[in-house]
Amino acid sequence: MIRLLIFSIWLVFHPVHVSLMSIDYEPEGKLFNIFLKIYFDDFLLDSGLGAGGGDKLVFQDSDEFTRVYLTDYVNEKVRIMINGVPVKTELGKIDLSDNELRMNLSFGSEAKVRSITVKNQIMTSIYSDQANMLIVKVNDFEEGARLTALETEKTFDIQ
């Protein structure tokens, strides 16, 4: 239900600056799967590449420069802590179409998940109206949040 609401908001808002992120915990593999969707033109500005910088990126899984650049961007702009311990994400599948950049990322966690803190600063330094929509799902816990340029961080206490 909450995912449908977030997706609906996503479709309505591109003149307003928005990103969408979901973090899902897979207990069997002790793995967090992350989906991140941002508009490519906004990404180019926020990453420092500028409007014409997209020519430097090649959206094929085998392009190492693009994979490293995107991974570094996400790990710089999005800080995730599990039980107070920072983690780094690894880039999986990437896709660019219709000005939408979609990335699948992941990281492992051996500990029992008690809390997740997410600090999302995607485009917050360039757009005062930035909305970074976030959904966190761990086992039976599911909660969403709207992070902004003024409120970039949220801690989720997992019961």
Side-chain angles (χ1 to χ4, degrees):
M1 179 67 168
I2 195 163
R3 289 182 184 181
L4 181 60
L5 175 64
I6 297 295
F7 184 70
S8 298
I9 291 170
W10 171 266
L11 291 175
V12 172
F13 278 106
H14 187 319
V16 174
H17 304 98
V18 66
S19 75
L20 176 64
M21 174 182 280
S22 66
I23 302 174
D24 292 308
Y25 182 62
E26 180 186 309
E28 299 81 31
K30 297 186 179 185
L31 183 71
F32 282 89
N33 295 304
I34 301 170
F35 174 75
L36 175 61
K37 183 176 181 178
I38 60 178
Y39 286 100
F40 188 60
D41 56 342
D42 290 338
F43 161 77
L44 291 174
L45 292 174
D46 195 38
S47 69
L49 286 174
D55 297 340
K56 297 177 183 176
L57 303 175
V58 178
F59 289 90
Q60 297 174 353
D61 286 337
S62 61
D63 186 72
E64 191 63 24
F65 174 79
T66 301
R67 296 185 67 71
V68 169
Y69 195 87
L70 292 173
T71 302
D72 289 349
Y73 170 81
V74 172
N75 284 319
E76 175 188 327
K77 296 289 184 172
V78 179
R79 310 277 183 174
I80 300 172
M81 292 192 302
I82 304 300
N83 303 331
V85 178
V87 298
K88 294 283 185 188
T89 62
E90 294 182 23
L91 185 64
K93 185 179 175 189
I94 55 176
D95 181 55
L96 173 65
S97 61
D98 299 324
N99 195 40
E100 293 178 350
L101 175 57
R102 292 174 292 281
M103 295 180 264
N104 292 319
L105 304 110
S106 63
F107 63 90
S109 178
E110 292 297 321
K112 180 177 181 338
V113 181
R114 295 182 310 278
S115 70
I116 298 175
T117 300
V118 179
K119 183 173 187 173
N120 188 336
Q121 295 179 302
I122 290 177
M123 296 177 279
T124 57
S125 64
I126 54 178
Y127 299 126
S128 62
D129 65 345
Q130 178 65 30
N132 291 317
M133 307 307 285
L134 172 64
I135 300 170
V136 172
K137 184 169 182 352
V138 177
N139 303 322
D140 294 330
F141 176 88
E142 184 171 1
E143 188 175 325
R146 179 180 179 266
L147 302 177
T148 66
L150 297 175
E151 186 181 338
T152 60
E153 186 173 316
K154 169 85 173 161
T155 297
F156 300 89
D157 293 316
I158 312 301
Q159 304 303 324

